[in-house]
């Protein structure tokens, strides 16, 4: 649902069913990704936090927005994602889009490191 | 349009091409997930599916499920293994060997969708286009 909503907002969205799939996509240099939006709890070898760690280690500068059900995970996510706020589930798709828009806008305004 | 494929990069490639041609695409990573989509109120006019996938159902079982519960809904299958046409359920209107050229599969999808829109009396046939090579004909 969220992927479809983001597409209607004009974003090009790549869907990954797990962190493992996301990493396969992120490892491809020919596939451009400017933000990662991920659930916290997922099947596979790692969850959303594991994916955030991987992104920080391997794709520094790439923003991650996590969505999860547990309030306490918000603090953990905040530590992992400097600019990527945690969304509490259930979230409104519009809220997710606002977050993503804000992060992309902030990124554009940052001087290139 | 429902695309069922467990390999993310293959799924990404075909879905992107379909979206570029203006089609609305729902993605499923397994036949089980595809069956869930079909049970929901989501509208699906064609299914493109890999045959060999992890989970309770494979693509062939999904096709049998479609024959039984969604008559008239066409499917296009892809597989790295050889399949006899006679083994395929009625809903299968295309079979592509993997790895396939995306254009060939997408062209076949467009043909099936066009037939479906123009000929309501000709749905669910057994005209299986078993392509040994991607069919460039649009």
């Amino acid at each position: 649902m969220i992927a479809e909503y983001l597409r209607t907002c004009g974003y090009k969205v790549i869907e990954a069913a797990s962190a493992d799939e996301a990493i396969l996509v992120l490892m491809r240099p020919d596939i451009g990704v400017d933000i990662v939006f991920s659930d916290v709890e997922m099947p596979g070898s790692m969850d959303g936090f594991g994916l955030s760690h991987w992104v920080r280690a391997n794709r520094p500068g790439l923003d991650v927005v996590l969505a999860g059900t547990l309030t306490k995970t918000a603090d953990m996510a905040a530590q992992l994602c400097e600019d990527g706020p945690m969304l509490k589930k259930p979230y409104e798709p519009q809220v997710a889009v606002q977050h993503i828009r804000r992060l992309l806008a902030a990124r554009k305004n940052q001087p290139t490191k | 349009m429902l695309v069922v494929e467990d390999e993310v990069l293959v799924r990404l490639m075909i879905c992107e091409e379909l979206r570029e041609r203006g089609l609305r695409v729902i993605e499923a990573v397994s036949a089980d997930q595809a069956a869930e989509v079909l049970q929901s109120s989501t509208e699906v006019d064609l299914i493109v599916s890999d045959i060999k996938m992890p989970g309770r159902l494979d693509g062939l079982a999904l096709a049998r499920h479609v024959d039984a519960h969604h008559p008239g809904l066409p499917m296009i299958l892809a597989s790295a293994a050889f399949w006899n046409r006679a083994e395929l359920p009625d809903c299968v209107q295309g079979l592509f060997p993997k790895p396939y050229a995306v254009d060939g599969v997408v062209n076949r999808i467009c043909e099936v969708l066009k037939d479906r829109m123009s000929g309501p009396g000709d749905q669910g046939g057994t005209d299986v286009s078993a392509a040994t090579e991607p069919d460039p004909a649009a």
Side-chain angles (χ1 to χ4, degrees), chain A residues 7-112:
Chain A
R7 283 190 191 102
T8 64
C9 294
Y11 292 105
K12 187 180 168 208
V13 182
I14 298 169
E15 294 181 40
S18 63
D20 302 297
E21 279 200 359
I23 288 171
L24 280 176
V25 172
L26 292 169
M27 282 170 69
R28 287 287 298 255
D30 55 326
I31 302 174
V33 175
D34 43 20
I35 196 159
V36 177
F37 183 78
S38 172
D39 197 359
V40 170
E41 291 171 69
M42 287 184 292
S45 69
M46 65 174 74
D47 59 12
F49 295 128
L51 177 61
S52 299
H53 276 301
W54 188 93
V55 169
R56 285 190 81 175
N58 297 280
R59 293 285 302 266
L62 181 61
D63 289 316
V64 179
V65 177
L66 290 174
T69 49
L70 303 173
T71 310
K72 68 174 182 181
T73 55
D75 297 332
M76 296 163 71
Q79 289 168 19
L80 287 167
C81 315
E82 288 152 353
D83 298 318
M86 177 83 176
L87 294 180
K88 288 177 202 165
K89 286 171 83 176
Y91 55 81
E92 289 296 322
Q94 295 93 322
V95 176
V97 172
Q98 280 164 16
H99 274 291
I100 289 167
R101 247 183 217 140
R102 191 168 55 76
L103 288 173
L104 289 176
R107 204 173 169 189
K108 267 186 191 167
N109 293 334
Q110 269 177 7
T112 313

